[in-house]
Amino acid sequence: MMKLRAIIVISIYAILVALASFWMAKQSYSWFPPEAAAEAKLLDDLFSLFTGLGTFIYLGVIGPFLYSLVFHRAGKYDLSDGPPIEGNTWLEIVWTAVPLVLVLTLSFVSYRTYEKMAVRGPMELVHLHMPQMMQPAYAEPFDSTPQQEIQKAVETAPIEQINVIAKQWAWIFHYPQQDITSTELHLPVDRRVRFTLRSEDVLHGFYIPAFRLKQDVVPNHEIDFELTPVKTGTYRLRDSMFSGTYFAANQADVVVQPFNEYQQWLADAATASPSPAFNQAAFEYSKANDREGATKDKVAVRGWETIPPAAPPVVNYAPKHEPDSPPA
Amino acid sequence: MTNISLEAPEVVRGQPYPGAPDNWKRFFTFSTDHKVIGIQYIVTSFFFFLIGGTFSMIMRGELITPDADLVDRTVYNALFTMHGSIMLFMWTFPVLVGLGNYLVPLMIGARDMAFPRLNAVSFWMIPVVGILMLSSFLVPGGPSQSGWWAYPPVSLQNPTGNLINGQVLWILAVAISGVSSIMGAVNFVTTIFRMRAPGMTWFRTPAFVWSVLAAQLIQLYGLPALTGGAVMLLLDLTIGTSFFAPERGGNPILYQHFFWFYSHPAVYVMILPVFGMYSEILPVHARKPLFGYRVIAASSILITIISGFVWVHHMFASATPGWMRMFFMVTTMLVAIPSGIKVFGWVATIWGGKIRFTTPMLFALGGISNWVFAGITGIFLGSVPIDIHVNNTYFVVGHFHYVLYGAIVMGIYAGIYHWFPKMTGRMYYEGLGKLHFALTYLGTALTFVPMHPLGLMGMPRRVASYDLEFAYWNVIASIGGFLLGLSTLPFILNMVSSWIRGEKVGNNPWRAYGLEWLTSSPPTVENFEELPIVVSGPYGYGRNQPLVGNTPNPELTEFPESLTQQQTS
């Protein structure tokens, strides 16, 4: 009788936990910025699966944990011991096997998602020859919508090549076909884009949260990196790898626009003559230099000495908006 | 003619010289008593915990508004660098070594560590490390600003041009800390292998000792890599070698391999002893044997082995080849299995028990619940696609602070409260302890849960300023951070006042099994009047069997009346 009751209670709890996990999995989509790239959809689906399973495990463990804390307390004058149960082989095998199966499954699903994202271009830094891993995913049969979009984009248009130069502390985007430079990244929607990432000094991180993608930029390396924007709008590119004093200010806007507008922008930029762009790091550094007591050799900042920022980049196109009240 | 005494002065083992002080002054001597050294470690590390915590509160003050307005960017960078460095090298490692130092010889029935003088030398290097770290605030250019990773090329940039600068001092401090830890590891491993009491077979050895052994084995294989990497970085910085400097043909990614080969397993060096403490505390305060003791003990060793193959998951975005990403994704996730074994074992231990909500029990239970959460977000980070989005964001900061503060710091508190009566012979004040627990648990959640959504939204870590969209969660995290700072006050008050005038309790106020509870509180210089002969396993609750053959069973009836009232009211 007791056993039947226990089975019913556990079943009801399992159903409730499953429902809560499903709800959390659905909720997880709202925790992210907009899905502005095909890769973002893939990642969000994977994250949702992890959230669902993670919630199930968490509640599955914490439920019995809290139950025993509430119902298995010692009585006021009870100094006796609990039952001396030391182990249960069957139970121990089950709770070793279940996590093993779970993590292997999650690894496999993650691997499939990574393969579909195919963020690495042909310059993959692979010394070990493993063709099936290096092959871009768009050469494989696809089943998901984003992947079809990537495939369609790849099949219908050439890959858009853009060179990215990172330095302390600015991002410069170079469009080699038109030989245009910009401090704002413009991308055509629904087309595969290939970046070649270079760093002039230290490690930087090329990170656009709305695309869910990130790649460290390593000095002395050219790193190819591919993605497909699928939603027009303005997003933020951030430096994700700590790069020194003005690290936090090393940001840029990413404008995803329809192909014709993108081409128009390229054409307009090609006619503009290069001029220095506003740069937050250079601006703050010069403000610090202007302070009383500053000399050429000693920079009077409120903190400690710093590597001077590179000169503001000279580019064909720079966004017009400058900060109204720049940070101190 | 003067009288010359022909009797040799009485030398007590553990005393550096005859007549060494037997009061509080002994904590300021080169004592070779493992218990004195243990307390030296714990108190010293707590001093630095408060300094590192103060730095973090200045940082949370900076981050309460989006602009970089409270401190200059260089100061902010120095603060997060020193916060991380101090919290790891001066707080978490030393405090755990201190607890291990105090407890391991008592738990295995030894009179001291295997190499008492080496033990003392290991400790006295820690204040040197601390002085080096803090003195970097006084050199021109200030402390290192390159983060506790000290990734080159940023760590090789030296704006002052001076030979002695914050980064050099930082590297020296880390290298000395590494040498101290290697010496400590040799001592622990030798002690545990060679000095267990007669009859203490491996599967009669307490889970805490297993976990300390597992952790110290990681130190032995991992620390040489970190220390070697640090020396190479020092050479690059000072005499212009080119191991990691890209402008001279070096490879900065190589440093990351050296660094993470140790510094990821280092997390297990810190959490394993805490797992061990949970495994000791739950059976006592739930009055049940540790469920699955053998598997829990073995899982510690399994973590040691797996942790040698996880380091690249910190480098998924660092131009790491695809095959390496896949291999390390699987190995990283495999850590979930031994960790899961432990968690299930703890839940089964308290299931059906006679639980008392004492302060150590509350901290242990709170720490375990935090660990479950942190462990699950750890699986997220193991997955390459998810990691590509969230690494180097606040999601990671939230995750590892849930591990470090939520599970490890709370576990350390649990351990200190649990063994406080053993160390001092006095009981702490339960009311203050519970207040401390409530503030800590709430503060942990308020500070570190908001960091997860911040990371998913795309806020990078280590930023002194941020976009307006991140303000909401940052304000909550900052309030939580200040609360955590506040939470340490009842703890300090409790420890100091209880040590001076707390209620005197007997040798075994918790009615616990375990060799350490057989001796007096505080234990005598040589720990045991007569070395125990172990005849059964360490968790005999509910079984009424002797633990040792040559001394009486642990006193199971002694229970302070005042404590009974507090706990059950």
Side-chain angles (χ1 to χ4, degrees), chain B residues 421-492:
Chain B
K422 179 51 59 185
M423 294 176 182
T424 63
R426 293 174 186 268
M427 186 52 81
Y428 59 84
Y429 299 113
E430 274 289 349
L432 276 175
K434 283 177 178 154
L435 173 69
H436 177 212
F437 168 74
L439 291 176
T440 308
Y441 197 79
L442 186 65
T444 303
L446 269 183
T447 314
F448 305 122
V449 168
M451 293 182 179
H452 295 81
L454 280 173
L456 295 178
M457 289 160 71
M459 177 170 163
R461 65 194 290 194
R462 299 181 168 145
V463 288
S465 59
Y466 53 79
D467 292 346
L468 199 57
E469 62 188 285
F470 303 127
Y472 172 78
W473 288 113
N474 268 303
V475 170
I476 296 177
S478 290
I479 292 169
F482 301 141
L483 191 63
L484 275 186
L486 191 70
S487 75
T488 54
L489 298 181
F491 174 74
I492 298 166

Side-chain angles (χ1 to χ4, degrees), chain A residues 301-319:
Chain A
V301 288
R302 282 190 291 156
W304 287 290
E305 283 163 77
T306 172
I307 292 286
V314 178
V315 289
N316 296 90
Y317 180 84

Side-chain angles (χ1 to χ4, degrees), chain A residues 64-143:
Chain A
F65 187 78
L66 287 178
Y67 180 88
S68 49
L69 295 190
V70 174
F71 294 106
H72 299 155
R73 303 270 303 277
K76 195 169 179 181
Y77 299 108
D78 184 0
L79 294 182
S80 65
D81 288 349
I85 304 164
E86 276 193 304
N88 181 323
T89 310
W90 183 82
L91 207 57
E92 286 164 35
I93 290 171
V94 167
W95 74 41
T96 307
V98 169
L100 182 66
V101 171
L102 260 179
V103 296
L104 289 179
T105 308
L106 289 175
S107 297
F108 179 74
V109 178
S110 300
Y111 169 65
R112 290 290 300 161
T113 303
Y114 175 69
E115 204 183 31
K116 283 182 188 172
M117 287 165 89
V119 290
R120 285 297 178 72
M123 292 293 285
E124 170 100 321
L125 294 167
V126 170
H127 306 296
L128 201 71
H129 186 63
M130 296 183 80
Q132 73 278 17
M133 283 195 180
M134 291 162 64
Q135 210 164 35
Y138 49 73
E140 305 218 340
F142 306 115
D143 46 8

Side-chain angles (χ1 to χ4, degrees), chain A residues 74-80, chain B residues 356 511 559 561 564-565 568-569:
Chain A
K76 195 169 179 181
Y77 299 108
D78 184 0
L79 294 182
S80 65
Chain B
R356 269 171 216 283
R511 303 181 301 127
F559 207 65
E561 186 63 25
T564 317
Q565 284 165 2
T568 50
S569 59

Side-chain angles (χ1 to χ4, degrees), chain B residues 84-156:
Chain B
S85 308
I86 286 177
M87 285 306 201
L88 291 173
F89 299 114
M90 296 304 301
W91 154 248
T92 319
F93 285 121
V95 76
L96 288 167
V97 170
L99 282 162
N101 236 304
Y102 195 96
L103 294 170
V104 165
L106 286 170
M107 282 182 164
I108 63 173
R111 296 214 183 276
D112 203 330
M113 296 284 278
F115 310 112
R117 282 185 187 78
L118 188 72
N119 202 17
V121 174
S122 305
F123 166 71
W124 282 105
M125 290 168 96
I126 295 297
V128 175
V129 174
I131 289 166
L132 273 176
M133 287 245 180
L134 292 182
S135 65
S136 68
F137 278 91
L138 305 174
V139 297
S144 162
Q145 294 178 34
S146 58
W148 83 275
W149 301 352
Y151 274 8
V154 170
S155 56
L156 297 176

